Amino acid sequence: RWIAASTGGGVTGLAQGSNIVFSNGALDPWSSGGVMVNLSSSVTAVVIARGGHHTDLFFSDPADPPSVVAARRTELELVRGWIGEWRRDQARLGMPPAAAHPWSSSDAGGTRAEAR
C-alpha cells in the first residue's frame, strides 16, 4: 500500500507523471521493485543489462559495459529533449530564453567524463 500512497496510485499514478526516467540495473537486487517498462511516452524505463545499483550515475570509466554507456546516452537524450521542449514552449509563449547552461549544447557528445 505504501507504493500506491507515495506515488499517487502506484503504476497508474506514475503513468500520469511526465519527464521521468526510471533506471534499473539488472544486477541490482532492488530492480525487482523497480519500473521496468515505459509507462508513457515521457515516463521511461531504462533497463541496464550489466548494471548494478546506480551504475549509470557513477562517473564514466573506460571499463563500463556497453549497456551502461547506452543507458547514460539514452538518459541524456531524454533530458535534453525535455529541456528543448520546455524552451520551445517558452519561446511560443513569448518568454525570454533562459540562460544557457554549459552542458546544454545539443552537439555535446555526452557527459563531461565521457568527453575525455
Side-chain angles (χ1 to χ4, degrees):
R1 285 190 237 177
W2 69 269
I3 291 175
S6 59
T7 61
V11 172
T12 303
L14 291 174
Q16 294 173 15
S18 62
N19 302 352
I20 303 170
V21 175
F22 292 100
S23 64
N24 290 283
L27 302 177
D28 179 1
W30 291 102
S31 66
S32 63
V35 176
M36 304 298 277
V37 296
N38 294 347
L39 301 179
S40 72
S41 61
S42 71
V43 179
T44 308
V46 176
V47 179
I48 308 167
R50 293 191 55 214
H53 191 71
H54 294 232
T55 304
D56 54 328
L57 301 179
F58 294 143
F59 290 107
S60 62
D61 184 277
D64 285 339
S67 60
V68 173
V69 174
R72 286 187 186 121
R73 181 162 285 124
T74 297
E75 294 161 0
L76 187 61
E77 289 171 4
L78 287 167
V79 172
R80 282 187 175 152
W82 298 331
I83 293 170
E85 183 179 328
W86 178 82
R87 287 183 173 154
R88 288 186 295 278
D89 288 346
Q90 295 298 299
R92 183 177 48 78
L93 295 171
M95 304 294 289
H101 189 282
W103 295 349
S104 66
S105 171
S106 61
D107 63 346
T111 64
R112 292 178 112 180
E114 290 173 344
R116 283 189 263 160

